[in-house]
Each structure stands twice: as structure tokens, then as C-alpha cells.
Amino acid sequence: MLFTKGKLEVVLDSPDVVLYGSPREARFTEITGRVVLTSKSAQPTSSLIVRLKPKHQNPFNPVLSLLWMSDITYAIVKDGQIDDASVEIPYDSSTGQQQWRFAMAIPGNIFETVYTPEVSVAYELVVEMRTTSVSHWVPFSKLSHSVPICIKRLPATDSAWATIANEP
């Protein structure tokens, strides 16, 4: 990308997100991890956004479409200010890395990841960063990175759903 100032990546604490209980029973859960910017120097950040997005494997499959689902967005940095729930790890010149830890809530009624011939439900976590510049010739730099993420659903141990699933 033109005027990029480094390499951006997201490192998840777990590649899977687990929801406990049926879609009606499950409470929200969190996606946790860190965003890592590798660059030659510390970069002033104007915005850093993490989005959980449906991944459209086959947009021509009319059986199940996640087009209705909007992205779930979490702003780690907005207007140059870090969110209170996030933690910025200062630039480390020995590794060339600047990091931000985050925890992003997702609702318990979200579809779990499924791959069948008829249905494909998949997600990706997309990180977008805008850095500011002191030069008026280059007003900002935009970097992005995405990783697949799997959402799994397990029955709550005390639920009727678990009792039925464990019957012989």
C-alpha cells in the first residue's frame, strides 16, 4: 500500500471463540488478543479499529446469507485516544514493535462457524489502523490485516440441551 509505515498484524489469544448454551441461553463472550505494528519507529496512531466480519465464502449461494449481519466493531484508538479497556504497550526499539491489547465483546446469539455443501458461515477479524503524519504531503497511512476466526457453540452443562445431547 502506498505510504505504509510498517507491518500490521493481529495475534489472537485463541483462534476459537466458544459460546456456552443455545443461542437463546448464551451470554456474550470476548475475543481477546493484541494488535502488533512492526515499524522502524513509533507511529502516532489516530485510529485503530477491530471488526468481526462475516466472511463470504460463496456470495452466490442463496441457502444462507450473512449479508444481513453487520460488523461488530471495537475502537481501540479513536481520534488519537486509547480506549479505557485497552492497553497500549509502548514502542520497543529492540523489536521494532508497538502493541495494543484488546478484549472485544460479541453477542451470545451469533451463528457459529459452519461448513457444509449447502451452508457456509465463517468469520474473519479485520484490524484497520490509520497513523498520522507530521508532513502535509502524506496526511495519513492506512494499514490493515485480517485473520480467520472460528466461533464454536457448546451446550451449557446444566441445560436441557446438554441433557438431550448426552442421552444414549
Side-chain angles (χ1 to χ4, degrees), residues 10 19 23 25 32 49 51 54 60 62 72 75 84 88 98 100 112-114 117 120 128-129 131 149 157 164:
V10 62
L19 296 167
E25 298 170 335
T32 59
I49 297 171
R51 285 189 175 90
F60 302 107
I72 298 171
D84 293 338
E88 181 176 7
Q98 194 170 348
W100 296 264
E112 55 270 13
T113 303
V114 177
S120 176
E128 296 173 347
M129 172 187 239
T131 59
I149 190 164
T157 55
I164 292 169

Side-chain angles (χ1 to χ4, degrees), residues 3-166:
F3 303 124
T4 57
K5 296 182 178 185
K7 179 184 173 192
L8 186 67
E9 57 188 325
V10 62
V11 180
L12 298 174
D13 291 342
S14 171
D16 302 331
V17 174
V18 180
L19 296 167
Y20 294 95
S22 71
R24 282 188 262 160
E25 298 170 335
R27 293 192 173 114
F28 78 93
T29 191
E30 290 183 330
I31 299 171
T32 59
R34 58 193 163 92
V35 176
V36 180
L37 175 66
T38 305
S39 62
K40 294 179 182 178
S41 62
Q43 300 295 318
T45 304
S46 61
S47 73
L48 180 56
I49 297 171
V50 179
R51 285 189 175 90
L52 178 67
K53 298 175 64 167
K55 189 173 181 181
H56 304 292
Q57 301 284 341
N58 184 356
F60 302 107
N61 184 352
V63 176
L64 179 66
S65 174
L66 290 179
L67 294 175
W68 63 267
M69 183 186 149
S70 60
D71 300 351
I72 298 171
T73 303
Y74 174 61
I76 297 172
V77 177
K78 183 177 180 181
D79 298 329
Q81 300 297 314
I82 190 163
D83 182 68
D84 293 338
S86 299
V87 176
E88 181 176 7
I89 301 167
Y91 181 77
D92 181 353
S93 58
S94 64
T95 61
Q97 292 184 339
Q98 194 170 348
Q99 301 182 38
W100 296 264
R101 295 221 31 92
F102 69 93
M104 174 181 170
I106 62 167
N109 64 352
I110 194 169
F111 288 123
E112 55 270 13
T113 303
V114 177
Y115 296 103
T116 70
E118 295 81 25
V119 178
S120 176
V121 178
Y123 298 93
E124 64 183 343
L125 201 67
V126 179
V127 178
E128 296 173 347
M129 172 187 239
R130 286 187 184 231
T131 59
T132 56
S133 174
V134 293
S135 168
H136 69 297
W137 297 106
V138 184
F140 68 88
S141 174
K142 182 177 176 185
L143 299 167
S144 65
H145 180 73
S146 64
V147 294
I149 190 164
C150 182
I151 297 177
K152 297 179 178 181
R153 185 175 303 280
L154 297 175
T157 55
D158 59 345
S159 71
W161 188 31
T163 306
I164 292 169
N166 290 328

